Amino acid sequence: MAQGSDSNDTSYKSPSPGSRPSSSDDVKKVMRREKNRIAAQKSRMRQTQKADSLHLESENLEKENAALRKEVKQLTEEAKYLSSVLSSHEPLCTGLGAQTPELLYPPHPSSYHQHIAVPHYQH
């Protein structure tokens, strides 16, 4: 937009005296300015919408991040709890002291994964 001009100003300001353009040139200039004004308005609107969209996306990602951090914290606590349960249970098992870890915890085939129901750790 030209310096010092009002975005709502559609009036035509005549050029310096001595060079008087024809009225068809005046109409073309006014039409071009109006078209430019509308294009600038649309551009500003698109820019605002994009900023709003990015703001919403940022808020959603922050919420998702907080939820994932909470889940990591809960899973870490559960892992600590299960580790303590295992540590307290191992001495009760007879004959496990001489076995290798491969015998204690055999590898599972990728198609077989058994879920064991364990009470969740309570705060």
Side-chain angles (χ1 to χ4, degrees):
M1 190 174 290
Q3 270 186 332
S5 66
D6 185 9
S7 63
N8 294 325
D9 185 14
T10 57
S11 64
Y12 174 73
K13 306 222 180 349
S14 64
S16 61
S19 64
R20 182 76 184 138
S22 68
S23 66
S24 68
D25 286 344
D26 288 346
V27 171
K28 286 179 184 177
K29 200 171 242 184
V30 168
M31 293 297 285
R32 187 173 63 240
R33 284 184 179 173
E34 178 66 14
K35 191 174 179 181
N36 188 319
R37 184 184 66 78
I38 291 169
Q41 219 172 19
K42 285 181 182 179
S43 176
R44 286 189 295 273
M45 188 180 302
R46 282 191 303 269
Q47 187 177 5
T48 301
Q49 288 172 342
K50 185 175 181 179
D52 291 346
S53 172
L54 288 173
H55 182 70
L56 287 175
E57 183 180 1
S58 172
E59 286 179 343
N60 289 336
L61 289 172
E62 285 177 7
K63 287 178 186 176
E64 183 180 355
N65 190 13
L68 290 171
R69 286 181 188 275
K70 183 177 179 181
E71 183 179 2
V72 165
K73 184 178 178 183
Q74 289 172 339
L75 290 172
T76 301
E77 289 176 4
E78 185 176 3
K80 286 179 186 177
Y81 169 74
L82 292 173
S83 179
S84 71
V85 168
L86 179 63
S87 294
S88 65
H89 178 73
E90 280 178 335
L92 301 176
C93 292
T94 57
L96 292 179
Q99 294 181 351
T100 63
E102 290 81 21
L103 294 175
L104 289 175
Y105 309 106
H108 294 288
S110 56
S111 63
Y112 175 76
H113 184 76
Q114 183 179 23
H115 290 282
I116 301 171
V118 176
H120 285 17
Y121 176 73
Q122 298 296 321
H123 301 296

Coordinates of all heavy atoms in Angstrom, one line a residue, residues 33-65:
R33 N -6.6 0.5 -8.1 CA -6.4 0.7 -6.6 C -7.5 -0.1 -5.8 O -7.1 -0.6 -4.8 CB -6.5 2.2 -6.3 CG -5.3 3.0 -6.7 CD -5.5 4.4 -6.3 NE -4.3 5.2 -6.7 CZ -4.2 6.5 -6.6 NH1 -5.2 7.2 -6.1 NH2 -3.0 7.1 -6.9
E34 N -8.7 -0.1 -6.3 CA -9.7 -0.8 -5.6 C -9.4 -2.3 -5.6 O -9.6 -3.0 -4.6 CB -11.1 -0.6 -6.3 CG -12.3 -1.3 -5.7 CD -12.6 -0.9 -4.3 OE1 -12.1 0.1 -3.9 OE2 -13.3 -1.7 -3.6
K35 N -9.0 -2.8 -6.8 CA -8.6 -4.3 -6.9 C -7.4 -4.6 -5.9 O -7.4 -5.6 -5.2 CB -8.2 -4.6 -8.3 CG -8.1 -6.0 -8.6 CD -7.8 -6.2 -10.1 CE -7.7 -7.7 -10.5 NZ -7.4 -7.9 -11.9
N36 N -6.5 -3.7 -5.9 CA -5.3 -3.9 -5.0 C -5.8 -3.8 -3.5 O -5.3 -4.6 -2.7 CB -4.3 -2.8 -5.3 CG -3.0 -3.0 -4.5 OD1 -3.0 -3.4 -3.4 ND2 -1.9 -2.7 -5.2
R37 N -6.7 -2.9 -3.2 CA -7.2 -2.8 -1.8 C -7.8 -4.1 -1.4 O -7.6 -4.6 -0.3 CB -8.1 -1.6 -1.7 CG -8.6 -1.4 -0.3 CD -9.7 -0.3 -0.2 NE -10.9 -0.6 -0.9 CZ -11.9 -1.4 -0.4 NH1 -11.7 -1.9 0.8 NH2 -13.0 -1.7 -1.0
I38 N -8.7 -4.6 -2.3 CA -9.4 -5.9 -2.0 C -8.4 -7.0 -1.8 O -8.5 -7.9 -0.9 CB -10.4 -6.2 -3.1 CG1 -11.6 -5.2 -3.0 CG2 -11.0 -7.6 -2.9 CD1 -12.5 -5.2 -4.1
A39 N -7.4 -7.1 -2.7 CA -6.4 -8.2 -2.6 C -5.6 -8.0 -1.3 O -5.3 -9.1 -0.7 CB -5.4 -8.1 -3.8
A40 N -5.2 -6.8 -0.9 CA -4.5 -6.6 0.4 C -5.4 -7.1 1.5 O -4.9 -7.7 2.5 CB -4.1 -5.2 0.5
Q41 N -6.6 -6.8 1.5 CA -7.6 -7.2 2.5 C -7.6 -8.7 2.7 O -7.6 -9.2 3.8 CB -9.0 -6.6 2.2 CG -9.8 -6.1 3.3 CD -11.0 -5.4 2.8 OE1 -11.5 -5.6 1.7 NE2 -11.6 -4.5 3.7
K42 N -7.8 -9.4 1.5 CA -7.8 -10.8 1.5 C -6.5 -11.4 2.1 O -6.5 -12.4 2.8 CB -8.1 -11.3 0.1 CG -9.5 -11.2 -0.4 CD -9.7 -11.8 -1.8 CE -11.1 -11.6 -2.3 NZ -11.2 -12.1 -3.7
S43 N -5.4 -10.8 1.7 CA -4.1 -11.3 2.1 C -4.0 -11.2 3.6 O -3.5 -12.1 4.3 CB -3.0 -10.5 1.5 OG -1.7 -10.9 2.0
R44 N -4.4 -10.0 4.2 CA -4.4 -9.8 5.6 C -5.3 -10.8 6.3 O -5.0 -11.4 7.4 CB -4.8 -8.4 6.0 CG -3.7 -7.4 5.7 CD -4.0 -6.0 6.3 NE -5.2 -5.4 5.7 CZ -5.2 -4.7 4.6 NH1 -4.1 -4.4 4.0 NH2 -6.3 -4.2 4.1
M45 N -6.4 -11.1 5.8 CA -7.4 -12.1 6.3 C -6.8 -13.5 6.3 O -6.8 -14.2 7.4 CB -8.7 -12.1 5.6 CG -9.8 -12.9 6.2 SD -11.3 -12.9 5.3 CE -11.7 -11.2 5.2
R46 N -6.1 -13.9 5.2 CA -5.5 -15.2 5.2 C -4.4 -15.3 6.2 O -4.2 -16.3 6.8 CB -4.9 -15.5 3.8 CG -6.0 -15.9 2.8 CD -5.4 -16.4 1.5 NE -4.5 -15.4 0.8 CZ -4.9 -14.6 -0.1 NH1 -6.1 -14.5 -0.5 NH2 -4.0 -13.7 -0.6
Q47 N -3.6 -14.2 6.3 CA -2.5 -14.2 7.3 C -3.0 -14.4 8.7 O -2.5 -15.1 9.5 CB -1.7 -12.9 7.2 CG -0.5 -12.8 8.0 CD 0.3 -11.5 7.8 OE1 -0.2 -10.7 7.0 NE2 1.5 -11.4 8.4
T48 N -4.1 -13.7 9.0 CA -4.7 -13.8 10.4 C -5.3 -15.2 10.6 O -5.1 -15.8 11.7 CB -5.9 -12.8 10.5 OG1 -5.4 -11.5 10.3 CG2 -6.6 -12.9 11.9
Q49 N -5.9 -15.8 9.6 CA -6.4 -17.2 9.7 C -5.3 -18.2 9.9 O -5.4 -19.1 10.7 CB -7.3 -17.5 8.5 CG -8.6 -16.8 8.4 CD -9.3 -17.1 7.1 OE1 -8.8 -17.5 6.1 NE2 -10.6 -16.8 7.1
K50 N -4.2 -18.0 9.2 CA -3.1 -18.9 9.4 C -2.5 -18.8 10.8 O -2.1 -19.8 11.4 CB -2.0 -18.6 8.3 CG -0.8 -19.5 8.4 CD 0.1 -19.3 7.2 CE 1.3 -20.3 7.3 NZ 2.2 -20.1 6.2
A51 N -2.4 -17.5 11.3 CA -1.8 -17.3 12.6 C -2.8 -18.0 13.7 O -2.3 -18.6 14.6 CB -1.7 -15.9 12.9
D52 N -4.1 -17.8 13.5 CA -5.1 -18.5 14.4 C -4.9 -20.0 14.4 O -4.9 -20.7 15.4 CB -6.5 -18.1 14.0 CG -6.8 -16.6 14.3 OD1 -6.0 -16.0 15.1 OD2 -7.8 -16.1 13.8
S53 N -4.8 -20.5 13.2 CA -4.6 -22.0 13.0 C -3.4 -22.5 13.7 O -3.4 -23.5 14.4 CB -4.6 -22.3 11.5 OG -4.3 -23.7 11.3
L54 N -2.3 -21.8 13.5 CA -1.0 -22.2 14.1 C -1.1 -22.1 15.7 O -0.6 -22.9 16.4 CB 0.1 -21.3 13.6 CG 0.6 -21.6 12.2 CD1 1.6 -20.5 11.8 CD2 1.2 -23.0 12.1
H55 N -1.8 -21.1 16.2 CA -2.0 -21.0 17.6 C -2.8 -22.2 18.2 O -2.4 -22.7 19.2 CB -2.7 -19.6 17.9 CG -3.0 -19.4 19.4 ND1 -1.9 -19.1 20.2 CD2 -4.1 -19.4 20.1 CE1 -2.4 -19.0 21.4 NE2 -3.7 -19.2 21.4
L56 N -3.9 -22.5 17.5 CA -4.7 -23.7 17.9 C -3.8 -25.0 17.9 O -3.9 -25.8 18.8 CB -5.9 -23.9 17.0 CG -7.0 -22.9 17.3 CD1 -8.1 -23.1 16.2 CD2 -7.6 -23.0 18.7
E57 N -3.1 -25.1 16.8 CA -2.2 -26.3 16.7 C -1.2 -26.4 17.8 O -0.9 -27.4 18.4 CB -1.5 -26.3 15.3 CG -0.7 -27.6 15.1 CD 0.0 -27.6 13.7 OE1 -0.1 -26.6 13.0 OE2 0.7 -28.6 13.5
S58 N -0.6 -25.2 18.1 CA 0.3 -25.1 19.2 C -0.3 -25.5 20.6 O 0.3 -26.3 21.3 CB 0.9 -23.7 19.3 OG 1.7 -23.5 20.4
E59 N -1.5 -25.0 20.8 CA -2.2 -25.4 22.1 C -2.5 -26.9 22.1 O -2.3 -27.5 23.2 CB -3.5 -24.6 22.2 CG -3.3 -23.2 22.5 CD -4.7 -22.4 22.6 OE1 -5.7 -22.9 22.1 OE2 -4.7 -21.3 23.2
N60 N -2.9 -27.5 21.0 CA -3.2 -28.9 21.0 C -1.9 -29.7 21.2 O -1.9 -30.7 21.9 CB -3.9 -29.3 19.7 CG -5.3 -28.8 19.6 OD1 -5.9 -28.5 20.6 ND2 -5.8 -28.6 18.3
L61 N -0.8 -29.3 20.6 CA 0.4 -30.0 20.8 C 0.9 -29.9 22.2 O 1.5 -30.9 22.8 CB 1.5 -29.5 19.8 CG 1.3 -29.9 18.3 CD1 2.3 -29.2 17.4 CD2 1.4 -31.4 18.1
E62 N 0.7 -28.8 22.8 CA 1.1 -28.6 24.2 C 0.3 -29.5 25.1 O 0.8 -30.1 26.1 CB 1.0 -27.2 24.7 CG 2.0 -26.2 24.1 CD 1.8 -24.8 24.5 OE1 0.9 -24.5 25.3 OE2 2.6 -23.9 24.0
K63 N -1.0 -29.7 24.9 CA -1.9 -30.6 25.6 C -1.4 -32.0 25.4 O -1.3 -32.8 26.4 CB -3.3 -30.4 25.2 CG -4.0 -29.1 25.7 CD -5.4 -29.1 25.2 CE -6.0 -27.7 25.6 NZ -7.4 -27.6 25.0
E64 N -1.1 -32.4 24.2 CA -0.7 -33.7 23.9 C 0.7 -34.0 24.6 O 0.9 -35.1 25.2 CB -0.5 -33.9 22.4 CG -0.2 -35.3 22.0 CD 0.0 -35.5 20.5 OE1 -0.3 -34.5 19.7 OE2 0.4 -36.6 20.1
N65 N 1.6 -33.1 24.6 CA 2.9 -33.2 25.2 C 2.7 -33.4 26.7 O 3.3 -34.3 27.3 CB 3.7 -32.0 24.9 CG 5.1 -32.1 25.4 OD1 5.6 -33.2 25.7 ND2 5.9 -31.0 25.4

